[in-house]
Amino acid sequence: MSDDDVSPETWQRITKAGIRLLRIPTPFQVGRVNTYLLEDDPLTLVDSGPNSGKALDELERQLDALGHRIEDLELIIVTHQHIDHLGLVDIVANRSGAEVAAIDLAVPFLENFGDDAERDDEEAATLMRRHGISEEVVRALRQVTGSFRAWGSKIKVSRPLHDGELLDLRDRSLEVQHRPGHSPSDTVFWDGERRILLAADHLIKHISSNPLISRPLDGSAQRTQALVTYLESLKRTRELPAEIVLAGHGEPITGHVALIDSRFAMHQRRAEKLYGLISEQSRTGHELAQAIWGDVAVTQAFLTLSEVIGHVDLLVNAGYVREVADGDVVRYEATSETPSDRLGDLIPGGNPVAAEG
Ligand SMILES: [Zn+2]
C-alpha cells in the first residue's frame, strides 16, 4: 500500500502537468470535493463542487489565487452524476460561456436533473421496503434525499463524450474511459503520456467508493449489480500503467495497483462475512446491514443496504445464496454448507492478485 503522505515529487509532477487541485467545501459527510484546474488551452475545470454560495466563493477565491477567474474557464468536464461534483457546473458555465463535456450516456440524466427525482425516490423506497427497512426510516430518508437535491442542478451538456475517444487539449490528450460502478456515469480521463489518471470517485485513497444502487441511465427497469460492475471497472483501471491517480476526494494516489488489490481483498472478506451471517440463519438485507454496522444501518439505511446487496450479488452469482420471498420482504438464505473461508474467489472473472500467484 502507498504511504499516506504524498511525496513532494508527486506534487511537483502534478503541478508541472499544469494540474491544480482546488478543494471545494460540501455540506456532506465526505467533506471537501476535489476539483482540478487544467492550465491548458482550453482552460479546463474538472468538476465544480456543489451548488452553494460557499462552494462558489471558495472556487472563485482558489481560482483567483492561481491568477484565473471563473469567466476565463473555457471547458468544464463532468466526471459523474453526483451532486457534490456537479452542482455548480451550470452557474459556472453560464458565467464563463465554457463548453460542458460529459459522457454521452449521462446526458439525459444531467439535462433532466431532478425531474425524475420523485420516481428515483419511489424506486429506492420500494427497494428499501422489500429488504426489510421500516416505513418510518424510509420516510425519514426520503426527506433527507429531497433536501439534498438543492445542492445539485440541471446541466446543459454541449460536448457529449464517447467511451474511448480522445479529448485533445493543446498540451495533452485525455482518453475518455467509462468506468461505471460507484455511479452509472463514472468516467475517468487518462493522460497516457504523463501516466496521470483523473479518476474522480472511481478510486479514492482513504475510503472505498460506495457502489450505490442507482437507476440505469438507459431507463431500463432492471436493477444493475453495482458492485459487480464496479469490480469489473476496477480491473480495467488496474491494467493502466498509471503513476498518479487524482481522486475526487482526498489525496493523490501512487501505487494504484496495491490500492485496488486491497479493495478486492476487502470486498472478498465482506462477502465472506455476509455469507457467514446468512449461513447462521436467513436474513433480510437490512438485518444483515444491522448485524455489520449497527445503528449506522438505520441512519445510513440506503447506503448500507447498497453495500449488502452489492456483496450478496457476488454470493448469489456464485451460487452460494438465494433470495426467497417472505411476505412483503425478501430474505437471503444459504444454498450450500460450504464454510465461509472456503468460498473461493468471488471477484467477477477472477481476482488478478490470485492469478499472478
Ligand atoms: Zn460520487
Side-chain angles (χ1 to χ4, degrees), residues 80-85 182-183 186 200-202 204 212 249:
H80 69 296
Q81 68 200 68
H82 288 162
I83 53 183
D84 51 336
H85 293 260
H182 163 71
S183 86
D186 285 0
D201 290 2
H202 169 64
I204 300 172
L212 281 171
H249 303 273

Side-chain angles (χ1 to χ4, degrees), residues 24-83:
I24 306 299
T26 80
F28 309 113
Q29 208 180 356
V30 69
R32 289 187 181 241
V33 62
N34 293 341
T35 71
Y36 295 93
L37 182 71
L38 309 181
E39 291 182 311
D40 203 325
D41 185 6
L43 185 67
T44 301
L45 185 67
V46 181
D47 287 339
S48 68
N51 186 1
S52 80
K54 196 174 168 195
L56 184 59
D57 284 352
E58 280 268 355
L59 180 63
E60 283 197 284
R61 196 170 3 206
Q62 292 184 41
L63 284 172
D64 185 60
L66 297 168
H68 302 287
R69 298 172 312 149
I70 283 182
E71 286 72 15
D72 302 334
L73 293 168
E74 296 167 303
L75 174 67
I76 306 168
I77 295 175
V78 181
T79 61
H80 69 296
Q81 68 200 68
H82 288 162
I83 53 183

